[in-house]
Amino acid sequence: MTAFAPDSLLLNRKLPLWYQVSQSLRASILGRRPEDPLRLPTEERLAEHYGVSVLTMRQALKELEEEGLISRHRRRGTFIEPGARRGAPRRLLGSIDAVVAQQSGERTTVLGHGPAPVPGELAEHFPGYDEVVTYRRLRRDGESDEPVNWAENAVRPDVAAGLDVTDLERWPMTKVLRDAVGIRISRITDTVEARLADPVTAELLGVPLLSPILHYTGVTYDGGGRVVDVARIRYRGDRFSFSVTVEADPGGSVGA
């Protein structure tokens, strides 16, 4: 049986290796095509693929097994669960692959794209530009087909020139920018706030006008510190929560 082929990963030595590997593999699993094989390569082959030890790979697979994304069978191998779906966020430790993994798993429809004037509220992010290229996408639950969020991305024109819009039907923008366009992403700043559904959001998400939503803004920077993309995503308030885990330092204290 042909094994499922995971994406590549550039490891960050400042973060736990098992965590980065689990998030990268998680994104690959949730973004898989229906025709892709369900069987994963062996632990040894996966470890070689990611450039980590077998012990590290085993820990990463344990994380995915506990989440219900894979099942492991003695002598038969490790398999993706056919009904695997994106669950609630588990850990977010500053990895780009963690962001990609949390964005993966829904069915995406591109509503439209094209050049547009820089929105006034985004002008500070695109100095010297009169226009950006915007992409509007609606995401639905892969099982119930219920709308869960819609996204509007403003992308720098020189970056958008290398972007294939069909990639956005399969992958999150972050992954497309990094892996398809080849942008070296240095950081992403996130802002999440409560808002009320405007007429467009209410119609797309099928919620009452002025009902609560979660409004996410993510600003993505390239290696030179320039803004590549500003994402504005409206999540249904009844379907999502946002959580942050603050890890204590070795002495047991947490900075504030």
Side-chain angles (χ1 to χ4, degrees):
M1 179 186 295
T2 303
F4 176 72
D7 295 333
S8 59
L9 171 65
L10 181 62
L11 292 170
N12 181 341
R13 297 293 169 177
K14 295 181 180 180
L15 296 172
L17 297 183
W18 68 266
Y19 170 77
Q20 296 177 71
V21 169
S22 71
Q23 292 303 300
S24 177
L25 189 52
R26 184 180 192 271
S28 296
I29 290 171
L30 292 176
R32 62 181 292 275
R33 296 179 297 248
E35 64 269 21
D36 287 341
L38 291 174
R39 185 175 186 174
L40 290 179
T42 64
E43 288 181 353
E44 291 76 14
R45 286 189 176 275
L46 283 171
E48 182 180 359
H49 172 79
Y50 284 114
V52 298
S53 68
V54 172
L55 184 61
T56 295
M57 192 67 240
R58 195 167 294 158
Q59 189 174 3
L61 291 172
K62 180 181 178 183
E63 176 82 359
L64 298 179
E65 184 178 26
E66 290 176 352
E67 193 176 343
L69 293 180
I70 63 172
S71 58
R72 308 173 77 183
H73 305 274
R74 190 175 182 181
R75 297 191 181 92
R76 290 179 53 213
T78 302
F79 296 83
I80 299 170
E81 286 295 317
R85 299 174 56 200
R86 183 178 67 84
R90 297 175 63 82
R91 296 181 177 90
L92 190 57
L93 301 181
S95 164
I96 297 298
D97 285 281
V99 174
V100 169
Q102 300 301 340
Q103 293 173 348
S104 301
E106 289 101 8
R107 185 170 64 82
T108 301
T109 301
V110 177
L111 302 175
H113 69 283
V118 176
E121 64 270 28
L122 302 184
E124 64 176 302
H125 299 301
F126 298 100
Y129 288 91
D130 297 322
E131 286 188 339
V132 290
V133 180
T134 62
Y135 299 85
R136 300 171 76 247
R137 293 164 295 143
L138 177 66
R139 296 190 182 107
R140 296 177 179 273
D141 182 273
E143 186 170 297
S144 69
D145 202 41
E146 184 179 41
V148 291
N149 68 75
W150 80 277
E152 190 173 28
N153 292 76
V155 180
R156 218 171 62 209
D158 56 306
V159 174
L163 194 154
D164 185 342
V165 69
T166 60
D167 286 337
L168 294 175
E169 297 176 351
R170 181 183 179 193
W171 299 114
M173 178 65 82
T174 304
K175 181 176 178 63
V176 172
L177 291 174
R178 186 191 64 178
D179 297 345
V181 182
I183 299 296
R184 186 172 74 84
I185 297 175
S186 62
R187 72 182 192 277
I188 299 175
T189 61
D190 297 334
T191 303
V192 179
E193 57 186 317
R195 290 193 182 179
L196 301 179
D198 56 43
V200 174
T201 297
E203 180 179 0
L204 288 175
L205 299 186
V207 298
L209 184 65
L210 302 181
S211 61
I213 63 166
L214 288 177
H215 188 281
Y216 162 90
T217 302
V219 183
T220 301
Y221 297 82
D222 63 18
R226 300 174 65 198
V227 172
V228 175
D229 160 60
V230 179
R232 291 175 291 176
I233 308 176
R234 292 83 166 176
Y235 293 92
R236 282 184 52 157
D238 61 342
R239 293 295 303 273
F240 285 88
S241 63
F242 181 77
S243 63
V244 177
T245 299
V246 179
E247 301 287 348
D249 65 24
S253 62
V254 176

